[in-house]
Amino acid sequence: MMLVSIENIPGKEIEALGVVKGTIVQTKNFGRDFMAGLKTLVGGEIKGYTEMLNEARQIATKRMVDEAESLGADAVVGIHYGSSAVMQGAAEIIAYGTAVKFVK
């Protein structure tokens, strides 16, 4: 499955199949939250959160790809990621784009 953030694939004629998305709501765990609180005192990257968000993006991307595959897509174009706070201590990550099929 080809995944691109641009709206077309150079050299390919494509047919749009529809919007596909993948979402996950990820929560912080106590250990990461406690360590993040300490890290705010000295500054710097909060690696536990970086890892958590990277994992969440991977899961959201896989779910988007699974939806595209169910439509018979060859690629997803115009991929975007978003996030929002759902509640205290939980964030939603969404991956979305347009599933396309290559035209022969």
Side-chain angles (χ1 to χ4, degrees), residues 28-41 46 49:
K28 301 181 271 188
N29 70 33
F30 177 76
R32 283 186 181 144
D33 214 24
F34 178 74
M35 294 306 292
L38 293 177
K39 189 68 170 181
T40 61
L41 298 174
I46 303 172
Y49 285 160

Side-chain angles (χ1 to χ4, degrees), residues 27-103:
T27 62
K28 301 181 271 188
N29 70 33
F30 177 76
R32 283 186 181 144
D33 214 24
F34 178 74
M35 294 306 292
L38 293 177
K39 189 68 170 181
T40 61
L41 298 174
V42 295
E45 179 182 6
I46 303 172
K47 292 183 181 181
Y49 285 160
T50 300
E51 292 167 5
M52 178 189 73
L53 290 170
N54 281 334
E55 179 185 338
R57 276 189 293 275
Q58 289 174 354
I59 293 167
T61 300
K62 168 133 180 31
R63 291 176 180 175
M64 177 187 65
V65 167
D66 290 346
E67 188 174 325
E69 287 176 341
S70 75
L71 296 174
D74 297 312
V76 180
V77 299
I79 293 176
H80 290 82
Y81 292 92
S83 64
S84 62
V86 175
M87 59 182 252
Q88 181 85 22
E92 176 193 33
I93 303 295
I94 183 168
Y96 61 96
T98 302
V100 299
K101 190 156 193 66
F102 298 144
V103 178

